[in-house]
Amino acid sequence: MSPATPLAVLALAATVGIAALMALTRLANRPGRAAAILTPMLFAVLVLFLWEVLTRGLAVPQVLLPAPSVIARAFWNASPELLQDVRQTVLFAAIPGFVCGSALGMVTGIAVDRSPFLQQGLLPLSSFASVIPIVGVAPIMILWFGFGWQSKAAVVLLITFFPAFVNMVAGLREASPIERDLMASYASTYWQTLWKLRLPAALPFLFTALKVNASLALIGAIVAEFFGAPVYGLGFRISAEIGHLALDRVWAAIAVAAAVGSGSYALLTAAERAATFWHPSQLPGSDRNS
Amino acid sequence: MSEAIAGIGVFRTARAGVPQWSRRILAPVVILCALLAIWSIAATLVNPSPAAAAAGIWPSNWWNPRPTLPSPPQIAVATWTGLFGYPVTSPRSLIYHAAVTLEAALAGFGLAAVLGTALATAIVHVRLLDRGLLPWVIVSQSIPVLATAPMVVVAMGYMGFSGLLPKAVISASLAFFPVTIGMCKGLRSPQTVQLDLLRTYNASGRQVFWALRWPSAIPYLLPALKIAMALAITGAIVGELPTGAQAGLGARLLIASYNGLMLLMWATLIVASLTAGLAVGALALLERALPRFRLPA
């Protein structure tokens, strides 16, 4: 391939870009579900196309930004390794940590439900915990549990505990006094009220916590690997390939992490829609950004 | 009579927004003390210290020079020494490292606040961005952006930038999303009635923005900024990990990690938490100082 002149490349990119944007604007202004789904997809395709044309045409060094096709090839070539990395980081570290941390947080939330004192004591500490960079405990966990997945799972557990706890406490307050009085008039026990009224009412909060935790778990597992890991794992792959300046492989690993992240988010959103179909936020016409 | 229903009453009054300040202060303090007590007991059990065992005094397990679980007083002393034991310019001073990290975090935070607000403004006004870009901004919240940190450092190093700027970019790339999403919500919060009223006044788009959209968005801005600040500090710390940086809390953590210095890790972590707490607390104070910009409860 003969090297194109930068000016020609820029002119091509600008022409295609402007034409595509005009077409997309017309699409975006059309009502309906198809347009709402197609617009972001085509927008992404346009971005990828411009990325490819500009990085290749302007001969952007690989260290700065590899072209999407280069990344795709790296992804293809490295797929066995990446599969092992995903197994290590997602299956062994992120998911067990996520499950244990979220479950522990929710159980603690129920446990302190009957004690306003414990709630008032733990909530400020938990909101402080949401501010601090908890991932910094990774080196401590590595000293305690070694370089393997155990230390990463421990970090993820710690990170995911607090959102689950805080949202469980907030969610259990969601059932209104009238509804509780109704349950009381049925002579229902504390546990019956909890199970039949308050936990279902808390579900939107719990799903919020789970969605937050899903991305926190992935971030925690990856960043914890920056502190030290066995010779596989997504975080290890990223920091090791950076050392070799193999940026295409780094991007491939990041693409995998992004796919796992948005995949789990989509799963949780689907589960939320199925479980809390009755909630106003799930009804058609509600604010789709919330 | 009030005694009889105290159990329910506390809960109800707290919800009604009447703060019982003594309880609100007391409860966290008591819980914190209880946690520290459990921690101290665990520290005496976990840290083997032959000398202390020979002397037969258990609290001396608290001062094991290479502890598995450092005791609270030991951590407190290590933190104090780190903060105040050295001159502020010394590379051993944690104040020095906290300042380096905070500088990068604040730069990234400012960048994120400006860019996030600008993007939200664009999204609210340009339909193509609203439908084409906003879904991706929302999806990107589920993507581990922090994983790109080492790459940002290397790419910017290649372009000749090192030190503060790459860290600020990492911080900004994290803090950017909550600001964008919060501001999108905020700029859209005016109701149709209000927008219609301005239309009857024949207000221009710019007038609608400054007179209605912007003021209504401020209550959404400050909570978003608090989240952004916490993320910016995490971003700056993680940005210091892959750089081989000599300064900053992240670099300090990494050095402690390589050398197995448990006490330094804890002290650095505490200082990082304090830094984040102070920065977010300052924003919370600002929010409280602007009561007319708070969301109605």
Side-chain angles (χ1 to χ4, degrees), chain A residues 160-184:
Chain A
T160 51
F161 173 85
F162 295 103
F165 171 71
V166 171
N167 277 290
M168 181 53 113
V169 172
L172 286 180
R173 291 179 181 171
E174 192 57 8
S176 69
I178 296 179
E179 293 161 331
R180 287 195 218 186
D181 285 350
L182 181 66
M183 292 302 277

Side-chain angles (χ1 to χ4, degrees), chain B residues 182-183 185-187 189 212-222:
Chain B
M183 282 309 276
K185 268 190 183 171
L187 291 173
S189 62
L212 178 59
R213 286 194 189 274
W214 177 254
S216 357
I218 301 292
Y220 293 82
L221 178 63
L222 280 165

Side-chain angles (χ1 to χ4, degrees), chain B:
Chain B
M1 188 196 119
S2 64
E3 289 293 304
I5 55 162
I8 312 160
V10 168
F11 194 66
R12 289 267 160 88
T13 41
R15 284 196 65 183
V18 185
Q20 298 192 328
W21 67 268
S22 56
R23 257 198 119 98
R24 278 177 54 159
I25 305 280
L26 194 68
V29 170
V30 169
I31 301 285
L32 196 61
C33 289
L35 287 179
L36 288 178
I38 296 171
W39 189 330
S40 305
I41 294 169
T44 61
L45 298 177
V46 168
N47 302 326
S49 170
I57 35 171
W58 54 268
S60 29
N61 277 8
W62 285 2
W63 305 100
N64 188 324
R66 292 190 79 81
T68 309
L69 176 68
S71 63
Q74 203 176 13
I75 295 174
V77 169
T79 310
W80 186 265
T81 326
L83 282 177
F84 306 112
Y86 310 98
V88 179
T89 49
S90 153
R92 302 187 71 166
S93 161
L94 284 176
I95 290 187
Y96 165 71
H97 292 289
V100 170
T101 302
L102 192 61
E103 198 183 1
L106 287 180
F109 171 78
L111 211 61
V114 173
L115 289 181
T117 310
L119 185 67
T121 311
I123 285 176
V124 168
H125 287 100
V126 182
R127 185 113 173 109
L128 170 64
L129 293 179
D130 177 31
R131 299 196 90 173
L133 187 60
L134 187 60
W136 293 111
V137 173
I138 292 170
V139 165
S140 68
Q141 285 212 306
S142 63
I143 289 174
V145 180
L146 216 44
T148 61
M151 202 176 54
V152 173
V153 170
V154 167
M156 296 199 66
Y158 179 83
M159 289 191 286
F161 299 111
S162 61
L164 179 91
L165 201 59
K167 289 192 282 176
V169 167
I170 293 166
S171 285
S173 67
L174 274 183
F176 171 74
F177 295 109
V179 177
T180 309
I181 289 177
M183 282 309 276
C184 277
K185 268 190 183 171
L187 291 173
R188 290 222 169 101
S189 62
Q191 291 163 7
T192 322
V193 192
Q194 298 167 314
L195 288 167
D196 282 349
L197 179 65
L198 284 187
R199 189 168 301 155
T200 65
Y201 293 162
N202 194 22
S204 68
R206 186 171 294 178
Q207 283 169 327
V208 172
F209 183 80
W210 288 115
L212 178 59
R213 286 194 189 274
W214 177 254
S216 357
I218 301 292
Y220 293 82
L221 178 63
L222 280 165
L225 285 184
K226 284 196 287 185
I227 299 173
M229 178 63 93
L231 287 176
I233 288 177
T234 306
I237 289 176
V238 174
E240 284 157 358
L241 295 180
T243 42
Q246 299 303 307
L249 293 173
R252 207 74 186 134
L253 264 183
L254 203 60
I255 288 171
S257 177
Y258 285 155
N259 299 309
L261 302 173
M262 195 55 121
L263 280 174
L264 182 57
M265 283 180 211
W266 281 100
T268 311
L269 208 55
I270 299 241
V271 172
S273 309
L274 288 178
T275 311
L278 286 177
V280 178
L283 285 176
L285 278 183
L286 183 69
E287 191 180 15
R288 193 160 292 189
L290 303 170
R292 80 189 193 91
F293 290 131
R294 249 187 297 172
L295 276 180

Side-chain angles (χ1 to χ4, degrees), chain A residues 2-236:
Chain A
S2 64
T5 58
L7 208 64
V9 171
L10 281 179
L12 172 71
T15 320
V16 174
I18 289 170
L21 279 180
M22 283 168 70
L24 271 178
T25 309
R26 292 192 59 173
L27 179 66
N29 283 328
R30 290 171 66 153
R33 208 173 150 70
I37 295 173
L38 267 179
T39 313
M41 293 297 159
L42 293 177
F43 194 81
V45 171
L46 175 66
V47 169
L48 283 178
F49 173 77
L50 290 180
W51 177 356
E52 179 83 34
V53 168
L54 290 177
T55 44
R56 279 187 180 262
L58 301 181
V60 175
Q62 277 235 343
V63 183
L64 272 187
L65 192 64
S69 60
V70 178
I71 297 168
R73 199 176 316 128
F75 174 79
W76 187 252
N77 291 337
S79 50
E81 291 158 49
L82 285 174
L83 209 62
Q84 198 187 19
D85 295 340
V86 168
R87 207 171 67 115
Q88 170 78 9
T89 305
V90 179
L91 286 190
F92 289 170
I95 291 181
F98 167 80
V99 171
C100 295
S102 303
L104 213 59
M106 289 178 187
V107 170
T108 314
I110 294 176
V112 303
D113 171 52
R114 291 215 229 189
S115 163
F117 181 79
L118 282 179
Q119 283 187 10
Q120 285 179 339
L122 284 171
L123 279 179
L125 300 180
S126 302
S127 49
F128 182 65
S130 73
V131 167
I132 66 179
I134 305 185
V135 75
V137 299
I140 296 169
M141 294 301 155
I142 287 174
L143 272 189
W144 282 353
F145 301 115
F147 279 104
W149 55 266
Q150 294 89 342
S151 54
K152 281 72 185 177
V155 173
V156 173
L157 188 152
L158 266 182
I159 293 181
T160 51
F161 173 85
F162 295 103
F165 171 71
V166 171
N167 277 290
M168 181 53 113
V169 172
L172 286 180
R173 291 179 181 171
E174 192 57 8
S176 69
I178 296 179
E179 293 161 331
R180 287 195 218 186
D181 285 350
L182 181 66
M183 292 302 277
S185 73
Y186 292 159
S188 71
T189 63
Y190 170 82
W191 292 106
Q192 282 172 326
T193 309
L194 184 71
W195 187 248
K196 300 218 159 113
L197 168 66
R198 299 178 65 204
L199 278 182
L203 274 179
F205 285 81
L206 299 185
F207 274 107
T208 305
L210 289 181
K211 285 194 281 189
V212 169
N213 277 349
S215 72
L216 282 181
L218 203 54
I219 291 174
I222 290 175
V223 172
E225 284 177 8
F226 290 167
F227 282 98
V231 291
Y232 37 83
L234 285 172
F236 170 82

